[in-house]
Amino acid sequence: MNEMLNIDNNIIELVNNCEKEISAEFSKIDDIVMYNSTKVLNAFINNRVSTEHFNGTTGYGYGDIGREVIEKIYSEVLGAESSLVRSQFISGTHALTVCLFALLRPNDTLLSITGKPYDTLDEVIGIKDNASSLKSFGVNYEQIDLINDDFDYDKIKEVLTSKKIKVIEIQRSKGYSTRKSISIDLVEKVIKFIKEIDKDVIIMIDNCYCEFVSTKEPTEVGADVIVGSLIKNLGGGIAPNGGYIAGRSDLVSLASERLTVPGEGAEVGPTLGINKQLLQGLFMAPTVVGSALKTAILTSRVLEKLGYLVEPKYNEERVDIVQNIIFNNEEDLVKYCQGIQAASPIDSFAKPYPWEMPGYGDKVIMAAGTFTSGSSIELSCDGPIRPPYIAYQQGSLTYEYGKLGVMKAVSNLVND
Ligand SMILES: *Cc1c(COP(=O)(O)O)cnc(C)c1O
């Protein structure tokens, strides 16, 4: 193995030793994978999936029974009344955008209680000027920052009792920030708190990277609507693109009419032959998320052993599939990412360098040798070129390929 991938024996030994130390963490992941697999299989059985559901529609996409069964299965697995699972969502950001525009009207207020949302939402909300933003339609935006990685309950109460808020957005995964991600227990607690003050406010969750990381989804603990991407956790590395919105039927219906046409909503939308991939992707998703989590835990332990700060630590509770390594210098961040790319199945020969990416303030380096373009349930690693030079690593379709990726990245980091 070391000769094939040109990795030093001492690195292989280090990684194998770390692997022994983390076996208790792995067995916790196995339990979660077992639970979520049971949930998924049960939903397939309850909804009587058969090969006829693999047939897709074209054109308007009327009467697509595969699409309908996929959405029923998603609803059951997520504990939601209804769901919209569509390849017409071009990204997670698009699904979030459709949801926000569906729920908010002129003079309404959107409140984020997890600080500034994901970078790509800046122009959607109007934090950064755009002639098509929510702000341009007269939708107000306010935000409350987290304090010590928890919600600012006093401030939330103050805002909710002083004015009418239409939608509260909670982003669970940290994005490119340095905060911790938000656990399902914290989500449950804050939803109870909010609903006691205002039972009508709509609670919308950006659930990207968090699906199947624990045994509960936000829709099972009181969230009104949740949103995510199919080239992340729930697509299982098999869905070629798409996104989902799940939750209360009335809200999902509004989202469907915003995605397609008022009056047609979820009744249209051709699946063009991807039904089998969406079904098989969801079927694989619990295991694939488990592989991504094990890769993250191994990475955390190995890089900590090498003297780097890591978040989360190997034995901390995980909320999403993201692993941070705080490199504190540009060179190490770049070398590590280049190592991840070199151990990728696709474009292993390409060397990523930091570049000015549209939508981001700083230069960004991105390693993603993935089967599906931009997929981050596949092993990928990126980071903005700014202090403290944090790598955001996520994914791996199997643990074994993840382990090889980490070995190669560490080898690149320490050897040249
Ligand atoms: C990935 C992600 C999104 C959506 O990103 P896309 O690249 O548009 O799919 C939104 N929020 C968070 C927290 C994410 O991780």
Side-chain angles (χ1 to χ4, degrees):
M1 176 170 66
N2 54 342
E3 278 170 26
M4 274 195 276
L5 282 170
N6 194 19
I7 299 167
D8 284 352
N9 273 324
N10 57 351
I11 290 170
I12 294 174
E13 210 178 296
L14 166 74
V15 173
N16 284 336
N17 285 338
C18 287
E19 194 176 47
K20 286 188 195 115
E21 289 177 48
I22 57 183
S23 61
E25 305 309 315
F26 278 19
S27 95
K28 286 183 212 160
I29 301 298
D30 290 336
D31 291 345
I32 294 168
V33 171
M34 191 68 218
Y35 183 89
N36 285 320
S37 297
T38 310
K39 231 177 176 182
V40 168
L41 180 60
N42 207 34
F44 271 69
I45 293 169
N46 289 345
N47 287 285
R48 302 172 65 89
V49 177
S50 72
T51 52
E52 65 184 9
H53 295 118
F54 299 163
N55 300 323
T57 51
T58 55
Y60 299 125
Y62 291 130
D64 193 313
I65 57 168
R67 188 185 68 212
E68 283 163 18
V69 91
I70 289 166
E71 291 180 341
K72 279 192 187 137
I73 291 172
Y74 262 71
S75 300
E76 187 171 328
V77 167
L78 297 172
E81 273 174 20
S82 180
S83 62
L84 193 62
V85 183
R86 301 293 169 114
S87 65
Q88 282 81 18
F89 289 122
I90 58 113
S91 62
T93 303
H94 185 212
L96 289 160
T97 301
V98 166
C99 194
L100 289 167
F101 275 89
L103 303 179
L104 292 153
R105 297 288 178 273
N107 300 320
D108 283 347
T109 299
L110 166 68
L111 172 68
S112 164
I113 58 169
T114 41
K116 197 180 87 58
Y118 200 67
D119 299 47
T120 55
L121 290 172
D122 283 4
E123 290 183 49
V124 175
I125 294 168
I127 295 169
K128 214 174 141 197
D129 274 346
N130 186 297
S132 301
S133 67
L134 285 164
K135 191 179 172 192
S136 78
F137 285 91
V139 174
N140 308 306
Y141 170 73
E142 288 186 29
Q143 84 183 35
I144 298 174
D145 291 334
L146 294 166
I147 35 175
N148 301 322
D149 296 319
D150 199 350
F151 294 102
D152 188 342
Y153 290 93
D154 294 338
K155 197 79 189 284
I156 292 170
K157 186 167 190 177
E158 191 186 307
V159 172
L160 286 178
T161 47
S162 68
K163 66 181 71 146
K164 183 69 203 158
I165 299 293
K166 180 73 171 289
V167 176
I168 288 184
E169 205 229 6
I170 297 171
Q171 180 188 308
R172 295 187 62 200
S173 190
K174 68 182 68 142
Y176 272 164
S177 79
T178 52
R179 68 161 168 97
K180 289 194 177 183
S181 297
I182 308 287
S183 72
I184 195 76
D185 292 339
L186 280 185
V187 169
E188 182 167 17
K189 188 173 156 205
V190 82
I191 291 175
K192 282 211 178 94
F193 180 81
I194 292 165
K195 293 282 176 172
E196 267 167 31
I197 303 167
D198 179 355
K199 66 173 177 34
D200 296 325
V201 62
I202 298 166
I203 298 178
M204 166 183 163
I205 313 276
D206 176 350
N207 206 32
C208 283
Y209 283 143
C210 298
E211 301 92 348
F212 289 163
V213 171
S214 67
T215 54
K216 272 190 202 162
E217 302 302 330
T219 21
E220 296 173 89
V221 298
D224 295 300
V225 63
I226 66 175
V227 184
S229 164
L230 298 193
I231 58 169
K232 293 182 177 174
N233 302 18
L234 291 184
I238 295 177
N241 83 323
Y244 77 88
I245 296 176
R248 257 167 54 190
S249 291
D250 57 332
L251 306 180
V252 173
S253 172
L254 282 169
S256 74
E257 304 221 317
R258 177 74 208 190
L259 174 65
T260 70
V261 178
E264 297 182 24
E267 302 298 314
V268 292
T271 52
L272 307 171
I274 67 159
N275 286 343
K276 179 175 175 236
Q277 285 163 287
L278 296 199
L279 286 164
Q280 200 169 358
L282 182 67
F283 188 72
M284 297 301 295
T287 307
V288 172
V289 170
S291 301
L293 287 169
K294 287 179 179 178
T295 302
I297 291 167
L298 180 70
T299 303
S300 182
R301 189 59 183 146
V302 170
L303 274 292
E304 185 181 34
K305 274 273 167 78
L306 288 170
Y308 294 99
L309 281 174
V310 292
E311 206 288 308
K313 292 200 192 305
Y314 77 98
N315 54 0
E316 274 180 289
E317 190 199 354
R318 302 241 156 203
V319 170
D320 57 26
I321 62 169
V322 182
Q323 178 62 46
N324 287 154
I325 308 149
I326 296 105
F327 281 114
N328 273 317
N329 72 82
E330 174 173 349
E331 198 192 338
D332 285 357
L333 168 61
V334 169
K335 277 196 208 161
Y336 186 87
C337 289
Q338 289 174 342
I340 291 287
Q341 183 78 33
S344 299
I346 314 300
D347 294 337
S348 58
F349 49 84
K351 208 171 190 179
Y353 289 96
W355 61 300
E356 310 274 358
M357 243 179 73
Y360 294 86
D362 302 276
K363 281 189 180 176
V364 178
I365 181 160
M366 291 209 156
T370 55
F371 287 89
T372 295
S373 173
S375 168
S376 45
I377 187 62
E378 299 181 49
L379 182 61
S380 50
C381 190
D382 41 67
I385 304 299
R386 65 174 177 238
Y389 302 98
I390 305 176
Y392 294 78
Q393 179 190 296
Q394 57 277 315
S396 195
L397 296 179
T398 74
Y399 168 65
E400 288 74 16
Y401 292 127
K403 181 177 170 183
L404 290 170
V406 174
M407 282 181 180
K408 188 75 185 165
V410 166
S411 164
N412 213 47
L413 181 64
V414 300
N415 278 347
D416 58 54

